[in-house]
Amino acid sequence: MFAQNFRNASIAALLAVIVVAPMFGFTLSREGARTVLSTNWLPVLWGAVLVFAVQLARPWLARPFAGVAARLPALPALPSKPSAGRRAALAIVLLAAVAWPFFGGRSQVDVATLVLIYIMLGLGLNIVVGFAGLLDLGFVGFYAVGAYTYALLFHWAGWGFWQALPVAGTASALFGFVLGFPVLRLRGDYLAIVTLGFGEIIRLLLVNLTEFTGGPDGISGIPKPSVLGLEMARRPSTEGGTTFHELLGLDFSNQHMVVYLYLMALLLAIVTLVVSNRLVRMPIGRAWEALREDEIACRSLGLNPTRIKLSAFTLGAMFAGFGGAFFAARQGAVTPESFTFIESALILAIVVLGGMGSQLGVILAAIILTVLPEVAREFAEYRMLMFGLVMVLMMVWRPQGLLPMQRPHVSLRDEGRS
């Protein structure tokens, strides 16, 4: 028994050295015009010793906690049908969300706007991964298509946000439809690899098509959305124009635009939630669930898996396009570095952490994974390390997610033998 534990602890310590050494063992520093690589193996050594000791003592440390997981209180099940109390709770949450920007500071409202963007993206990916069961690692590609569609329409044609928003969603949906064809016969890991390649192809195209996309520098000067054709700026861009604060007789404040962007993101997130919720209850949603559970059984029921997969990719990509267009308007500039693989991984983590197929879980996970890094800014260097640790613990403790989807089921009552 001890020999087996010693071998496992040694392997764990070796893997810890391999993982930790690139992050803590090497340091790049500037000495004049030269870049010097220095080494510091003490943190790596202590980390390996700690992992070895914990792994070696794990069988004895785990004995007092045996059976504790089984005694942990389970989360209350959500009612399958909306009740009066649930409607009241949703109304209170909605009112609090609407009132938040008028009481919070600018930084808090900015973080809340970012949360709403990730909620839109998480709900869009939830259609593909959670409902249809198609593992997509290149979802950020559709996000980039939506953002660059608005940026290019403004740069080359002078379009505003509200003109470009439906076009951005349509363009992303078209890319999702086109991507659906090569992956119709793929499942699991092969599907993930192809979608990952798609996301990287989009990013590399944005980098290399410098004449159209601006290359690595991207496109800047993208205007913010207007309010019924009125600009929310200190002065109108055209002579004789009227701004929003001038029409209402208010003093100009940059906070007006921050609040407006938040409310617009809230509206888009609510629309995404309502539409996706209705889609799940429609026949197409039942078809997605049938495809996720068993494709062969889905075919035997007379359903067409080709159409089902294409519909999931198309609708999920459309919501990502809307989120991308809003992201471009909020930032005022887009660059290819905003759409790396880590964004796809973060959106997928939101879906998995919240519970695949659970819309409320996706919203909760988006809040957690977006707010926590902002709260713990002093640990920014270790953000991804903590992120990976949290995901590992979640997969061990609650692999079904924070708020797993409650699927309707029927159970037969045992009458017993007379």
Side-chain angles (χ1 to χ4, degrees), residues 76-291:
L78 297 175
S80 58
K81 295 183 179 180
S83 59
R86 186 178 178 184
R87 291 194 185 97
L90 291 176
I92 294 174
V93 171
L94 182 59
L95 290 176
V98 173
W100 168 252
F102 301 100
F103 298 96
R106 177 164 184 167
S107 60
Q108 289 84 1
V109 177
D110 280 333
V111 172
T113 306
L114 186 62
V115 168
L116 293 171
I117 293 176
Y118 278 109
I119 287 176
M120 281 190 288
L121 297 174
L123 291 174
L125 184 60
N126 197 33
I127 293 177
V128 183
V129 178
F131 297 145
L134 305 171
L135 184 56
D136 188 353
L137 294 181
F139 195 70
V140 73
F142 307 126
Y143 185 37
V145 169
Y148 267 87
T149 298
Y150 173 40
L152 291 173
L153 287 174
F154 162 72
H155 183 72
W156 295 102
W159 286 29
F161 173 78
W162 295 110
Q163 293 173 292
L165 180 63
V167 181
T170 304
S172 296
L174 179 61
F175 271 80
F177 184 80
V178 172
L179 174 65
F181 281 101
V183 302
L184 289 177
R185 298 180 179 273
L186 302 179
R187 303 178 188 174
D189 300 338
Y190 304 101
L191 174 62
I193 292 172
V194 171
T195 54
L196 172 61
F198 169 78
E200 287 301 301
I201 288 172
I202 293 294
R203 186 181 64 84
L204 292 176
L205 285 176
L206 296 176
V207 172
N208 292 297
L209 296 177
T210 55
E211 296 181 359
F212 299 97
T213 64
D217 297 331
I219 300 174
S220 59
I222 302 173
K224 298 290 192 294
S226 61
V227 184
L228 301 176
L230 300 174
E231 297 179 81
M232 299 192 72
R234 187 181 298 275
R235 298 180 183 86
S237 58
T238 59
E239 186 177 353
T242 304
T243 60
F244 178 77
H245 70 279
E246 289 176 348
L247 181 66
L248 298 181
L250 302 174
D251 294 331
F252 175 76
S253 174
N254 291 325
Q255 186 70 10
H256 294 164
M257 177 55 73
V258 176
V259 173
Y260 176 55
L261 289 175
Y262 169 85
L263 294 177
M264 191 192 318
L266 179 61
L267 177 62
L268 291 174
I270 291 175
V271 170
T272 304
L273 176 62
V274 172
V275 172
S276 60
N277 187 50
R278 296 305 302 171
L279 287 173
V280 175
R281 299 174 184 273
M282 292 171 63
I284 184 62
R286 305 301 183 191
W288 289 338
E289 293 188 4
L291 178 69

Side-chain angles (χ1 to χ4, degrees), residues 376-389:
R377 282 184 175 272
E378 60 272 17
F379 302 105
E381 297 181 3
Y382 311 106
R383 175 185 176 185
M384 298 311 299
L385 186 63
M386 294 188 295
F387 175 72
L389 179 61

